[in-house]
Amino acid sequence: MKTIVSILFLAILITGCKNQEQKKEEHNHQEIETNKEETSKKKPLSPHTSAMAMVGDAHIHIDYSSPGVRDRIIFGGLLAYDQVWQAGAHMATWIETNKDLQIEGKTLPAGKYGFFTIPSKDEWIVIFNSNWEQHGKDEYDKKDDVLRFKVQPEISNEITEHLEYKVNKINNEDGSISLAWEKVAINFNFKVKE
């Protein structure tokens, strides 16, 4: 009888220890999951965002990732002058319009476009390209350009920490699009075509 009681006691003791080890492992697993969640909640360096507005019947939508300056020289430093830039971070920035727009006397047909620029010190080239879905400028090809024009950059003493686009309504037919980052901004007007 003592032997049976001893075996039974030993079996209960072993089972209890195994349950404690499992609980300890589960607890450690939960701690690891919590740490992963905290890490993934950190703010991205180039958050994905958008700008949009209605100008008359035209809906203008800009989708981009917004990199920060983070104490760097951007234009003529991080971004070399006179080279194509996807005007954002990660995927190429894209612009979509449901109406034809007139920009610098040229027509931009309704549609979705990759938005690129070629920054330089004294003037920028603004580009609307038919290949809107690409990583950075990896697949950029000048032959896919739908519209190109030049603008004068504006230099400010104030720093715009994160790249920022704005679509502004002037009236029911006219609007403007601006880009600002670091100490530089560009702006251009458009007219909604009927």
Side-chain angles (χ1 to χ4, degrees):
M1 186 71 170
K2 277 186 177 182
T3 308
I4 294 173
V5 172
S6 296
I7 292 172
L8 194 56
F9 177 74
L10 189 59
I12 292 170
L13 186 64
I14 290 171
T15 306
C17 288
K18 282 188 179 177
N19 285 343
Q20 282 296 95
E21 285 177 16
Q22 279 182 333
K23 284 182 184 174
K24 199 173 190 179
E25 283 177 20
E26 286 173 11
H27 178 72
N28 287 343
H29 182 68
Q30 286 173 342
E31 280 181 16
I32 291 167
E33 288 299 315
T34 303
N35 288 341
K36 281 182 186 174
E37 285 174 21
E38 286 173 9
T39 302
S40 67
K41 287 181 184 174
K42 286 183 181 174
K43 193 172 181 180
L45 295 176
S46 300
H48 182 247
T49 189
S50 62
M52 61 188 82
M54 291 293 296
V55 178
D57 292 335
H59 180 259
I60 316 296
H61 182 132
I62 304 173
D63 187 276
Y64 64 105
S65 291
S66 174
V69 173
R70 301 196 312 270
D71 294 324
R72 300 176 292 182
I73 295 171
I74 303 300
F75 300 106
L78 179 67
L79 298 174
Y81 284 134
D82 305 315
Q83 292 186 14
V84 173
W85 173 46
Q86 73 264 24
H90 310 305
M91 296 300 287
T93 294
W94 57 258
I95 293 183
E96 185 172 25
T97 173
N98 64 336
K99 297 284 184 183
D100 292 358
L101 303 179
Q102 186 171 5
I103 304 172
E104 295 291 317
K106 300 171 187 171
T107 299
L108 179 70
K112 199 170 188 177
Y113 301 96
F115 185 78
F116 298 88
T117 63
I118 302 175
S120 69
K121 222 173 196 164
D122 300 320
E123 69 179 11
W124 284 36
I125 298 172
V126 174
I127 304 166
F128 289 84
N129 185 278
S130 62
N131 185 0
W132 64 269
E133 190 174 25
Q134 59 180 290
H135 184 268
K137 57 183 181 186
D138 296 347
E139 299 165 38
Y140 172 80
D141 192 329
K142 186 176 179 177
K143 72 176 176 50
D144 296 325
D145 289 354
V146 175
L147 179 63
R148 270 183 171 232
F149 57 93
K150 295 177 181 178
V151 295
Q152 303 299 313
E154 299 168 20
I155 309 302
S156 169
N157 291 326
E158 302 284 318
I159 289 184
T160 302
E161 178 60 33
H162 277 272
L163 173 65
E164 180 179 33
Y165 282 88
K166 289 183 181 172
V167 182
N168 298 302
K169 176 182 176 179
I170 297 169
N171 56 45
N172 279 337
E173 293 178 353
D174 300 292
S176 69
I177 293 173
S178 65
L179 167 163
W181 192 27
E182 191 202 30
K183 293 184 175 184
V184 182
I186 62 167
N187 184 65
F188 59 90
N189 293 336
F190 63 86
K191 183 179 280 294
V192 178
K193 292 187 76 177
E194 288 303 318

